[in-house]
Amino acid sequence: MDRISLELIKGIAKPSPTRIVLLVIDGVGGLPNPETGKTELETARTPNLDQLATKGMCGLIDPVSSGVTPGSGPGHLALFGYDPLSYNIGRGVLEAMGIGFDLKQEDVAARGNFCTVDKVGLVTDRRAGRISTKKCSELCQLLDRGVIDRVKLFVRPVKEHRFVVIFRGEGLSADVSDSDPQQTGVAPKVITAHHAIARKTASIANQFIAQAGEALAKHYPANMVLLRGFSQHPQLPSMGEIYKLKPAAIASYPMYRGMAKLVGMEVLETGTTIEDEFMTLKQNYAKYDFFYLHIKQTDAAGEDGDFDRKVKIIEQIDSALSELISLEPDVIVVTGDHSTPALLKGHSWHPVPILLYSKWCRPDKVTKFSESACLSGGLGRFPATQIMLLAMANALKLTKFGA
Amino acid sequence: MDRISLELIKGIAKPSPTRIVLLVIDGVGGLPNPETGKTELETARTPNLDQLATKGMCGLIDPVSSGVTPGSGPGHLALFGYDPLSYNIGRGVLEAMGIGFDLKQEDVAARGNFCTVDKVGLVTDRRAGRISTKKCSELCQLLDRGVIDRVKLFVRPVKEHRFVVIFRGEGLSADVSDSDPQQTGVAPKVITAHHAIARKTASIANQFIAQAGEALAKHYPANMVLLRGFSQHPQLPSMGEIYKLKPAAIASYPMYRGMAKLVGMEVLETGTTIEDEFMTLKQNYAKYDFFYLHIKQTDAAGEDGDFDRKVKIIEQIDSALSELISLEPDVIVVTGDHSTPALLKGHSWHPVPILLYSKWCRPDKVTKFSESACLSGGLGRFPATQIMLLAMANALKLTKFGA
């Protein structure tokens, strides 16, 4: 939140019977196809989005800052109104959330890499030649059997050489250094406590690493582990507290279900398709006053560099949107947590198109939901952290500031 | 002020013979009439405003922040260049200013409610059934006779159940808690001092409440009082100090005269009509180099939900504007302290149209002063706290920053 603190919002938010739907099309922003000059969103046929754009207002958001490519964590925190520069979610916690691990408040999580070390223990490959995810799973099972000093360890595969370790027990602290030296030709670092209170955690982590080294000795190239990003469940004020909302999340991917849980949303059971998610919205519409609906497939297509697939998914979302529109929410916001241009095969720094529809919009002249049209939209270009405030205002859920 | 502090402005401001007129059309921004698709400002015939828009530059301002509906206090502070999030004016002071009470520097003011308590003293209605303003006046007279511990108390009616108490004497502090519990079913709270220095004020306030309870015993439903928002005249640096201006205010409503006094303007005597105010400007034009001219009627029409009346008042202002234009001020700024769409019958969060005319404008293509035209204006969308800096620059009243 730029100048407006969560504390201030808490002071002006009021419950009301109106409903807000925040539809997050992950990685929706793109770049023009050099052959057509049109982005994925501009190529797709999107009558429903265009109708909303015509009735409502459009603009562009910066999730973190102009020029900064956001990860999914910061991108989503911003959408929910939390300053992603103030609320940092540790790497370990993000990885645990990403695989849907049910992290407890006191757990400490660390991101792990399987790596290669030479005979004298110097790191030669920080990613063990990017072993397969299958291999990673096997090795994690090998390591996942430990209790050290009465602390339970969970070792879970993520993808390729990536895994996550969760430490569960009393008196743990995430305030320890990494073992990952972030370079080759040197030995893994000994983990040290930044404060006395973290000594136990450092000791257990070092014991785990020593045991892992022994267990992996014959598993070249994955013959050692590197740990980094020790972190705990961050203590975020809940959306219920701040906005006086009863919020629900509809997301099929664990990472986003985890993000929603972090900010106190109720996470609804849903299926794996886009249609499933919209059906879940319909079925639960009466029970909540805020819905976060997350669609992952656009981002995945962008990451794969598959321009045409991303176009098709956007069209599929547009069709499913009829369902949402027929519910007549008081406020509909459609945007993404970042751009994922198929041309870049990854997240990017480009601002993300946004549309906001409500009865109380002062309409602009935009009649299409696209990057180029949003450039002249009435919402202008603004930080993503302001979206919630705008949505709340349009839902008449905010009282006057000052007399 | 976003990134530019008042201290910095003080360092670059210089006196000059040029003149600035800031015309504040209260609540000028609106929403489109569903029948015509045009806002109040877009419906009104405004040849003078349009001529200024054509010669000058237009844009949109956010008084506090996107999505935040400002009260008149924060809205005006921002127009005068004071960050409304840093300079908070207490509720008691605002109420005192609103009724034109001549508040001294050491006075402490508190907002009061007449309320209803049951036999055992629990609050059953925080507003005493919204008694009439006439009844409120009578009850205030009943309570307005006190000197407690050598401190003089003024009890003055505001509107319906609302009143204000001003404590005048030595050694007072506003650093005390409220007696208003902000809910029913509980007893009014005992006022406590947040610091030792405020003990005297807390004690006097509690004595006043006890006496009021006795005096009101037979005046059901207004049989008790609740106090909140104890505050003192905030210490704001004056506009004279910051901008090196000799500023004058022309406003017929007490609240805005009070706001102007807070920032060190000379408040001129004027009449109650729009024409009176422009006449006052003409008569005093030679004596000051900055004029704040406030017109309340637009906001009142918006609050009443009277679209057509708001249109007519805007047209009336436009006619009166000839008078102002003929004085040939070096800089004319026309804007509002917030939007008040007739459709919403109240202040709103929508950004406010602004036009700035000076000889030194780099003109844009806007030829009409309206919400939709301002959207593509050369001033863009910006925080209201920057208006004074822009006006000063256009009046050639600022020196270079840095060598």
Side-chain angles (χ1 to χ4, degrees), chain A residues 31-110:
Chain A
L31 280 174
N33 187 326
E35 285 170 27
T36 63
K38 288 183 175 179
T39 68
E40 298 89 325
L41 192 55
E42 286 160 11
T43 307
R45 242 193 99 258
T46 54
N48 283 318
L49 285 167
D50 297 347
Q51 185 205 23
L52 285 177
T54 305
K55 288 193 199 165
M57 301 187 81
C58 288
L60 289 166
I61 54 159
D62 289 297
V64 178
S65 163
S66 168
V68 172
T69 297
S72 301
H76 269 81
L77 279 184
L79 291 180
F80 301 149
Y82 300 78
D83 179 358
L85 298 175
S86 310
Y87 295 101
N88 196 4
I89 301 179
R91 189 77 214 192
V93 169
L94 266 180
E95 297 288 359
M97 278 168 42
I99 58 162
F101 188 90
D102 189 17
L103 210 61
K104 308 288 177 203
Q105 294 279 351
E106 289 75 26
D107 290 351
V108 169

Coordinates of all heavy atoms in Angstrom, one line a residue, chain A residues 31-110:
Chain A
L31 N 3.4 -9.9 -24.7 CA 4.1 -9.1 -25.6 C 3.6 -9.4 -27.0 O 3.1 -10.6 -27.2 CB 5.6 -9.3 -25.5 CG 6.3 -8.6 -24.4 CD1 7.8 -9.1 -24.3 CD2 6.3 -7.1 -24.5
P32 N 3.6 -8.5 -27.9 CA 3.1 -8.8 -29.3 C 3.9 -9.9 -30.0 O 5.1 -9.9 -30.0 CB 3.3 -7.4 -30.0 CG 3.6 -6.4 -29.0 CD 4.2 -7.1 -27.8
N33 N 3.1 -10.7 -30.7 CA 3.6 -11.7 -31.6 C 4.3 -10.9 -32.7 O 3.6 -10.1 -33.4 CB 2.5 -12.6 -32.1 CG 2.9 -13.7 -32.9 OD1 3.9 -13.6 -33.7 ND2 2.2 -14.8 -32.8
P34 N 5.5 -11.1 -33.0 CA 6.2 -10.3 -34.1 C 5.5 -10.4 -35.4 O 5.6 -9.5 -36.2 CB 7.6 -10.9 -34.2 CG 7.8 -11.7 -32.9 CD 6.5 -12.1 -32.4
E35 N 4.8 -11.5 -35.7 CA 4.1 -11.7 -37.0 C 2.8 -10.9 -37.1 O 2.5 -10.4 -38.2 CB 3.8 -13.2 -37.2 CG 5.0 -14.0 -37.5 CD 4.8 -15.5 -37.5 OE1 3.6 -15.9 -37.7 OE2 5.7 -16.2 -37.2
T36 N 2.1 -10.7 -36.0 CA 0.8 -10.0 -36.0 C 0.8 -8.7 -35.3 O -0.1 -7.9 -35.5 CB -0.3 -10.9 -35.3 OG1 0.1 -11.0 -33.9 CG2 -0.3 -12.3 -35.9
G37 N 1.8 -8.5 -34.5 CA 1.8 -7.2 -33.7 C 0.8 -7.2 -32.6 O 0.6 -6.2 -32.0
K38 N 0.3 -8.4 -32.3 CA -0.7 -8.4 -31.2 C -0.3 -9.3 -30.1 O 0.2 -10.4 -30.3 CB -2.1 -8.9 -31.8 CG -2.8 -7.9 -32.7 CD -4.1 -8.5 -33.1 CE -4.9 -7.4 -33.9 NZ -6.2 -8.0 -34.3
T39 N -0.6 -9.0 -28.9 CA -0.3 -9.8 -27.7 C -1.3 -11.0 -27.6 O -2.3 -11.0 -28.4 CB -0.4 -9.0 -26.4 OG1 -1.8 -8.7 -26.2 CG2 0.4 -7.7 -26.4
E40 N -1.1 -11.9 -26.7 CA -2.0 -13.0 -26.5 C -3.4 -12.5 -26.2 O -4.4 -12.9 -26.8 CB -1.5 -13.8 -25.3 CG -0.1 -14.5 -25.4 CD 1.0 -13.6 -24.9 OE1 0.9 -12.3 -25.1 OE2 2.0 -14.1 -24.4
L41 N -3.5 -11.5 -25.3 CA -4.8 -11.0 -24.9 C -5.5 -10.2 -26.1 O -6.7 -10.3 -26.3 CB -4.6 -10.0 -23.8 CG -5.8 -9.5 -23.0 CD1 -6.7 -10.6 -22.5 CD2 -5.3 -8.6 -21.8
E42 N -4.6 -9.6 -26.9 CA -5.2 -8.9 -28.1 C -5.6 -9.8 -29.2 O -6.4 -9.5 -30.1 CB -4.2 -7.8 -28.6 CG -4.0 -6.6 -27.7 CD -2.8 -5.8 -27.8 OE1 -2.0 -6.1 -28.8 OE2 -2.5 -5.0 -27.0
T43 N -5.0 -11.0 -29.2 CA -5.3 -12.0 -30.3 C -6.6 -12.7 -29.9 O -7.4 -13.1 -30.8 CB -4.1 -13.0 -30.4 OG1 -2.9 -12.3 -30.6 CG2 -4.3 -13.9 -31.6
A44 N -6.8 -13.0 -28.7 CA -7.9 -13.8 -28.2 C -9.3 -13.0 -28.5 O -9.3 -11.8 -28.4 CB -7.8 -14.1 -26.7
R45 N -10.3 -13.8 -28.8 CA -11.6 -13.3 -29.0 C -12.3 -13.3 -27.6 O -12.5 -14.3 -27.0 CB -12.5 -14.2 -29.9 CG -13.0 -13.5 -31.2 CD -14.0 -14.3 -31.9 NE -15.4 -13.8 -31.6 CZ -16.2 -14.4 -30.7 NH1 -15.9 -15.5 -30.1 NH2 -17.5 -14.0 -30.5
T46 N -12.6 -12.1 -27.0 CA -13.0 -12.0 -25.6 C -14.2 -11.1 -25.4 O -14.1 -10.1 -24.8 CB -11.9 -11.5 -24.7 OG1 -11.4 -10.2 -25.3 CG2 -10.7 -12.4 -24.7
P47 N -15.4 -11.5 -26.0 CA -16.6 -10.7 -25.9 C -17.0 -10.3 -24.5 O -17.4 -9.2 -24.3 CB -17.7 -11.5 -26.6 CG -17.1 -12.9 -26.7 CD -15.6 -12.8 -26.7
N48 N -16.9 -11.2 -23.6 CA -17.3 -10.9 -22.2 C -16.4 -9.9 -21.5 O -16.8 -9.0 -20.9 CB -17.4 -12.2 -21.4 CG -18.6 -13.0 -21.7 OD1 -19.7 -12.4 -21.9 ND2 -18.5 -14.3 -21.9
L49 N -15.1 -10.1 -21.6 CA -14.1 -9.2 -21.0 C -14.3 -7.8 -21.7 O -14.2 -6.8 -21.0 CB -12.7 -9.7 -21.3 CG -12.3 -10.9 -20.4 CD1 -10.9 -11.5 -20.8 CD2 -12.1 -10.4 -18.9
D50 N -14.5 -7.8 -23.0 CA -14.7 -6.5 -23.7 C -15.9 -5.8 -23.2 O -15.9 -4.5 -23.1 CB -14.7 -6.7 -25.2 CG -13.3 -7.3 -25.7 OD1 -12.4 -7.3 -24.9 OD2 -13.3 -7.7 -26.8
Q51 N -17.0 -6.5 -23.0 CA -18.2 -5.9 -22.5 C -18.0 -5.3 -21.1 O -18.4 -4.2 -20.8 CB -19.3 -7.0 -22.4 CG -20.7 -6.5 -22.0 CD -21.5 -7.6 -21.4 OE1 -21.0 -8.6 -20.9 NE2 -22.8 -7.4 -21.4
L52 N -17.3 -6.0 -20.2 CA -16.9 -5.5 -18.9 C -16.1 -4.3 -19.0 O -16.2 -3.3 -18.3 CB -16.3 -6.6 -18.0 CG -17.1 -7.7 -17.5 CD1 -16.3 -8.7 -16.7 CD2 -18.2 -7.1 -16.5
A53 N -15.1 -4.3 -19.9 CA -14.2 -3.2 -20.1 C -15.0 -2.0 -20.6 O -14.7 -0.8 -20.2 CB -13.1 -3.5 -21.1
T54 N -16.0 -2.2 -21.4 CA -16.8 -1.1 -21.9 C -17.6 -0.4 -20.8 O -17.7 0.8 -20.7 CB -17.7 -1.6 -23.0 OG1 -16.9 -2.2 -24.0 CG2 -18.5 -0.5 -23.7
K55 N -18.2 -1.3 -20.0 CA -19.1 -0.7 -18.9 C -18.3 -0.2 -17.8 O -18.7 0.7 -17.0 CB -20.0 -1.9 -18.4 CG -21.1 -2.3 -19.3 CD -22.0 -3.2 -18.5 CE -22.9 -4.0 -19.3 NZ -23.6 -5.1 -18.5
G56 N -17.1 -0.8 -17.5 CA -16.3 -0.4 -16.4 C -15.1 0.4 -16.8 O -15.1 1.2 -17.7
M57 N -14.0 0.4 -16.0 CA -12.8 1.2 -16.2 C -11.6 0.2 -16.4 O -11.6 -0.8 -15.8 CB -12.6 2.1 -15.0 CG -13.7 3.0 -14.7 SD -13.2 4.2 -13.4 CE -12.3 5.4 -14.4
C58 N -10.6 0.7 -17.1 CA -9.4 -0.1 -17.3 C -8.2 0.7 -16.9 O -8.2 1.9 -16.7 CB -9.3 -0.5 -18.8 SG -10.6 -1.8 -19.1
G59 N -7.1 0.0 -16.8 CA -5.8 0.6 -16.5 C -4.7 -0.4 -16.5 O -4.9 -1.6 -17.0
L60 N -3.6 -0.1 -15.9 CA -2.4 -1.0 -15.8 C -1.9 -0.9 -14.4 O -1.8 0.1 -13.8 CB -1.4 -0.6 -16.8 CG -1.6 -0.8 -18.3 CD1 -0.7 0.0 -19.2 CD2 -1.6 -2.3 -18.7
I61 N -1.5 -2.1 -13.9 CA -0.9 -2.1 -12.6 C 0.5 -2.6 -12.6 O 1.0 -3.3 -13.4 CB -1.7 -3.1 -11.6 CG1 -1.8 -4.5 -12.2 CG2 -3.1 -2.5 -11.2 CD1 -2.1 -5.6 -11.2
D62 N 1.3 -2.1 -11.6 CA 2.6 -2.5 -11.3 C 2.5 -3.3 -10.0 O 2.3 -2.7 -9.0 CB 3.6 -1.3 -11.2 CG 3.8 -0.7 -12.5 OD1 4.4 -1.3 -13.4 OD2 3.5 0.5 -12.6
P63 N 2.8 -4.6 -10.1 CA 2.7 -5.4 -8.8 C 3.7 -5.0 -7.8 O 3.3 -4.8 -6.6 CB 2.9 -6.9 -9.3 CG 2.6 -6.8 -10.8 CD 3.0 -5.5 -11.2
V64 N 4.9 -4.8 -8.1 CA 6.0 -4.4 -7.1 C 6.5 -3.0 -7.5 O 6.4 -2.1 -6.6 CB 7.1 -5.4 -7.1 CG1 8.2 -5.0 -6.1 CG2 6.6 -6.8 -6.7
S65 N 6.9 -2.8 -8.7 CA 7.4 -1.5 -9.1 C 7.7 -1.6 -10.6 O 7.9 -2.7 -11.1 CB 8.7 -1.2 -8.4 OG 9.4 -0.2 -9.0
S66 N 7.6 -0.5 -11.3 CA 8.0 -0.5 -12.7 C 9.4 -1.1 -12.8 O 10.3 -0.8 -12.0 CB 8.0 1.0 -13.1 OG 8.6 1.1 -14.3
G67 N 9.5 -2.0 -13.7 CA 10.8 -2.6 -14.0 C 11.1 -3.8 -13.2 O 12.1 -4.5 -13.4
V68 N 10.3 -4.1 -12.2 CA 10.6 -5.3 -11.3 C 9.7 -6.5 -11.7 O 8.5 -6.4 -11.8 CB 10.3 -5.0 -9.8 CG1 10.4 -6.2 -9.0 CG2 11.3 -3.9 -9.4
T69 N 10.3 -7.6 -12.0 CA 9.6 -8.8 -12.3 C 9.2 -9.5 -11.0 O 10.1 -10.0 -10.3 CB 10.4 -9.8 -13.2 OG1 10.7 -9.1 -14.4 CG2 9.7 -11.1 -13.5
P70 N 7.9 -9.7 -10.8 CA 7.5 -10.2 -9.5 C 7.4 -11.8 -9.5 O 7.0 -12.3 -10.5 CB 6.1 -9.7 -9.2 CG 5.7 -9.0 -10.5 CD 6.7 -9.2 -11.5
G71 N 7.8 -12.4 -8.4 CA 7.5 -13.8 -8.2 C 6.0 -13.9 -7.9 O 5.4 -12.8 -7.6
S72 N 5.5 -15.1 -7.8 CA 4.0 -15.2 -7.5 C 3.7 -14.8 -6.1 O 2.6 -14.3 -5.9 CB 3.6 -16.7 -7.7 OG 3.9 -17.1 -9.0
G73 N 4.6 -14.9 -5.2 CA 4.4 -14.5 -3.8 C 4.1 -13.0 -3.7 O 3.0 -12.6 -3.4
P74 N 5.1 -12.2 -4.1 CA 5.0 -10.7 -4.1 C 3.8 -10.3 -4.9 O 3.0 -9.4 -4.6 CB 6.3 -10.2 -4.6 CG 7.3 -11.3 -4.4 CD 6.5 -12.6 -4.4
G75 N 3.7 -10.9 -6.1 CA 2.6 -10.5 -7.0 C 1.2 -10.6 -6.4 O 0.4 -9.7 -6.5
H76 N 1.0 -11.7 -5.6 CA -0.3 -12.0 -5.0 C -0.4 -11.1 -3.7 O -1.5 -10.6 -3.5 CB -0.4 -13.4 -4.7 CG -1.1 -14.1 -5.8 ND1 -0.5 -14.6 -6.9 CD2 -2.4 -14.4 -6.0 CE1 -1.3 -15.1 -7.7 NE2 -2.5 -15.1 -7.2
L77 N 0.6 -11.0 -3.0 CA 0.5 -10.1 -1.8 C 0.0 -8.7 -2.2 O -0.9 -8.1 -1.5 CB 1.9 -10.0 -1.1 CG 2.3 -11.1 -0.2 CD1 3.6 -10.8 0.5 CD2 1.2 -11.4 0.9
A78 N 0.6 -8.2 -3.3 CA 0.2 -6.9 -3.8 C -1.3 -6.8 -4.1 O -2.0 -5.9 -3.8 CB 1.1 -6.4 -4.9
L79 N -1.7 -7.9 -4.8 CA -3.2 -7.9 -5.3 C -4.1 -7.9 -4.0 O -5.2 -7.3 -4.1 CB -3.4 -9.2 -6.0 CG -2.8 -9.3 -7.4 CD1 -3.2 -10.7 -8.0 CD2 -3.3 -8.2 -8.3
F80 N -3.6 -8.5 -2.9 CA -4.5 -8.5 -1.7 C -4.3 -7.3 -0.9 O -4.9 -7.2 0.2 CB -4.1 -9.8 -0.9 CG -4.3 -11.1 -1.7 CD1 -3.6 -12.2 -1.4 CD2 -5.3 -11.2 -2.6 CE1 -3.7 -13.4 -2.0 CE2 -5.5 -12.4 -3.3 CZ -4.7 -13.5 -3.0
G81 N -3.4 -6.4 -1.3 CA -3.3 -5.1 -0.6 C -2.1 -5.0 0.4 O -2.0 -4.0 1.1
Y82 N -1.3 -6.0 0.4 CA -0.2 -6.1 1.3 C 1.1 -5.6 0.5 O 1.4 -6.2 -0.5 CB 0.1 -7.5 1.9 CG -1.1 -8.0 2.6 CD1 -2.2 -8.6 2.0 CD2 -1.1 -8.0 4.0 CE1 -3.3 -9.1 2.7 CE2 -2.2 -8.5 4.7 CZ -3.3 -9.0 4.1 OH -4.3 -9.5 4.8
D83 N 1.8 -4.7 1.1 CA 3.0 -4.2 0.4 C 4.0 -5.3 0.3 O 4.6 -5.8 1.3 CB 3.6 -3.0 1.2 CG 4.9 -2.5 0.6 OD1 5.3 -3.0 -0.4 OD2 5.4 -1.5 1.1
P84 N 4.4 -5.8 -0.9 CA 5.3 -6.9 -1.1 C 6.7 -6.6 -0.7 O 7.5 -7.5 -0.5 CB 5.2 -7.3 -2.5 CG 4.7 -6.0 -3.2 CD 3.9 -5.3 -2.2
L85 N 7.0 -5.3 -0.5 CA 8.3 -5.0 0.0 C 8.4 -5.0 1.5 O 9.5 -5.2 2.1 CB 8.7 -3.6 -0.5 CG 8.8 -3.4 -2.0 CD1 9.1 -2.0 -2.5 CD2 9.9 -4.4 -2.6
S86 N 7.3 -4.8 2.2 CA 7.3 -4.9 3.7 C 7.1 -6.3 4.1 O 7.7 -6.8 5.1 CB 6.2 -4.1 4.3 OG 6.2 -2.8 3.7
Y87 N 6.2 -7.1 3.5 CA 5.9 -8.4 3.9 C 6.6 -9.4 3.0 O 6.1 -9.7 1.9 CB 4.4 -8.7 3.8 CG 3.6 -7.9 4.8 CD1 2.9 -6.7 4.4 CD2 3.5 -8.2 6.1 CE1 2.1 -5.9 5.2 CE2 2.8 -7.5 7.0 CZ 2.1 -6.3 6.6 OH 1.4 -5.6 7.4
N88 N 7.7 -9.9 3.4 CA 8.5 -10.8 2.6 C 8.2 -12.2 3.1 O 8.3 -12.5 4.3 CB 10.0 -10.4 2.8 CG 10.8 -11.1 1.7 OD1 10.3 -11.7 0.8 ND2 12.1 -10.9 1.8
I89 N 7.9 -13.1 2.1 CA 7.6 -14.5 2.5 C 8.9 -15.2 2.1 O 9.3 -15.2 1.0 CB 6.4 -15.0 1.8 CG1 5.2 -14.2 2.1 CG2 6.2 -16.5 2.1 CD1 3.9 -14.6 1.5
G90 N 9.4 -15.9 3.1 CA 10.7 -16.7 2.9 C 10.6 -17.7 1.9 O 9.5 -18.3 1.6
R91 N 11.7 -18.1 1.3 CA 11.8 -19.1 0.2 C 11.3 -20.4 0.7 O 10.6 -21.1 0.0 CB 13.3 -19.1 -0.2 CG 13.5 -20.0 -1.5 CD 13.1 -19.2 -2.7 NE 12.6 -20.1 -3.7 CZ 12.3 -19.8 -4.9 NH1 12.6 -18.6 -5.4 NH2 11.8 -20.7 -5.7
G92 N 11.7 -20.8 1.9 CA 11.3 -22.1 2.4 C 9.8 -22.2 2.5 O 9.2 -23.2 2.1
V93 N 9.2 -21.2 3.1 CA 7.8 -21.2 3.3 C 7.1 -21.2 1.9 O 6.1 -22.0 1.7 CB 7.3 -19.9 4.1 CG1 5.8 -19.8 4.0 CG2 7.8 -20.0 5.5
L94 N 7.6 -20.5 0.9 CA 7.0 -20.5 -0.4 C 7.0 -21.8 -1.0 O 6.0 -22.3 -1.6 CB 7.7 -19.5 -1.3 CG 7.1 -18.1 -1.4 CD1 8.0 -17.2 -2.3 CD2 5.7 -18.1 -1.9
E95 N 8.2 -22.5 -0.9 CA 8.3 -23.9 -1.5 C 7.3 -24.8 -0.8 O 6.7 -25.6 -1.4 CB 9.7 -24.4 -1.3 CG 10.8 -23.6 -2.1 CD 10.7 -23.7 -3.6 OE1 9.9 -24.5 -4.1 OE2 11.6 -23.1 -4.3
A96 N 7.2 -24.7 0.5 CA 6.3 -25.6 1.3 C 4.9 -25.4 0.9 O 4.1 -26.3 0.6 CB 6.5 -25.4 2.8
M97 N 4.5 -24.1 0.7 CA 3.2 -23.7 0.2 C 2.9 -24.2 -1.2 O 1.8 -24.7 -1.5 CB 3.0 -22.2 0.3 CG 2.6 -21.7 1.7 SD 2.8 -19.9 1.8 CE 2.0 -19.4 0.2
G98 N 4.0 -24.1 -2.0 CA 3.9 -24.5 -3.4 C 3.5 -26.0 -3.6 O 2.9 -26.4 -4.5
I99 N 3.9 -26.9 -2.6 CA 3.6 -28.3 -2.8 C 2.4 -28.6 -1.9 O 2.0 -29.8 -1.7 CB 4.8 -29.2 -2.4 CG1 5.3 -28.9 -1.0 CG2 5.9 -29.0 -3.4 CD1 6.1 -30.1 -0.4
G100 N 1.8 -27.6 -1.3 CA 0.6 -27.8 -0.5 C 0.8 -28.4 0.8 O 0.0 -29.0 1.5
F101 N 2.1 -28.3 1.3 CA 2.4 -28.8 2.7 C 1.7 -28.0 3.7 O 1.6 -26.8 3.7 CB 3.9 -28.8 2.9 CG 4.3 -29.4 4.2 CD1 4.7 -30.8 4.2 CD2 4.4 -28.7 5.4 CE1 5.1 -31.4 5.3 CE2 4.8 -29.4 6.5 CZ 5.1 -30.7 6.5
D102 N 1.1 -28.7 4.7 CA 0.3 -28.0 5.7 C 1.2 -27.4 6.8 O 1.4 -28.0 7.8 CB -0.8 -28.9 6.3 CG -1.7 -28.2 7.2 OD1 -1.8 -26.9 7.1 OD2 -2.4 -28.8 8.0
L103 N 1.7 -26.3 6.5 CA 2.7 -25.6 7.4 C 2.1 -25.1 8.7 O 1.1 -24.4 8.7 CB 3.4 -24.5 6.7 CG 4.8 -24.1 7.0 CD1 5.8 -25.3 6.7 CD2 5.2 -22.9 6.2
K104 N 2.6 -25.5 9.9 CA 2.1 -24.9 11.1 C 2.9 -23.7 11.5 O 4.0 -23.4 11.0 CB 2.3 -26.0 12.3 CG 1.8 -27.4 12.0 CD 0.3 -27.4 12.0 CE -0.2 -28.8 11.6 NZ -1.6 -28.8 11.1
Q105 N 2.3 -22.9 12.4 CA 2.8 -21.6 12.8 C 4.3 -21.7 13.2 O 5.1 -20.8 12.9 CB 2.0 -21.0 13.9 CG 0.6 -20.6 13.6 CD 0.5 -19.3 12.8 OE1 1.4 -18.5 12.8 NE2 -0.7 -19.0 12.3
E106 N 4.6 -22.8 14.0 CA 6.0 -22.8 14.5 C 7.0 -23.5 13.7 O 8.2 -23.6 14.0 CB 6.0 -23.5 15.9 CG 5.3 -22.7 17.0 CD 3.8 -22.7 16.9 OE1 3.2 -23.6 16.3 OE2 3.2 -21.7 17.3
D107 N 6.5 -24.2 12.6 CA 7.4 -24.9 11.7 C 8.5 -23.9 11.1 O 8.2 -22.8 10.8 CB 6.7 -25.5 10.5 CG 5.8 -26.7 10.9 OD1 5.9 -27.1 12.1 OD2 5.0 -27.2 10.1
V108 N 9.7 -24.5 10.8 CA 10.7 -23.7 10.0 C 10.9 -24.5 8.7 O 11.0 -25.7 8.8 CB 12.0 -23.6 10.8 CG1 13.1 -23.1 9.9 CG2 11.9 -22.7 12.0
A109 N 10.8 -23.8 7.6 CA 11.0 -24.5 6.3 C 12.2 -23.9 5.6 O 12.6 -22.8 5.7 CB 9.8 -24.2 5.4
A110 N 12.9 -24.8 4.9 CA 14.1 -24.4 4.1 C 14.0 -25.0 2.7 O 13.6 -26.1 2.5 CB 15.4 -24.8 4.8

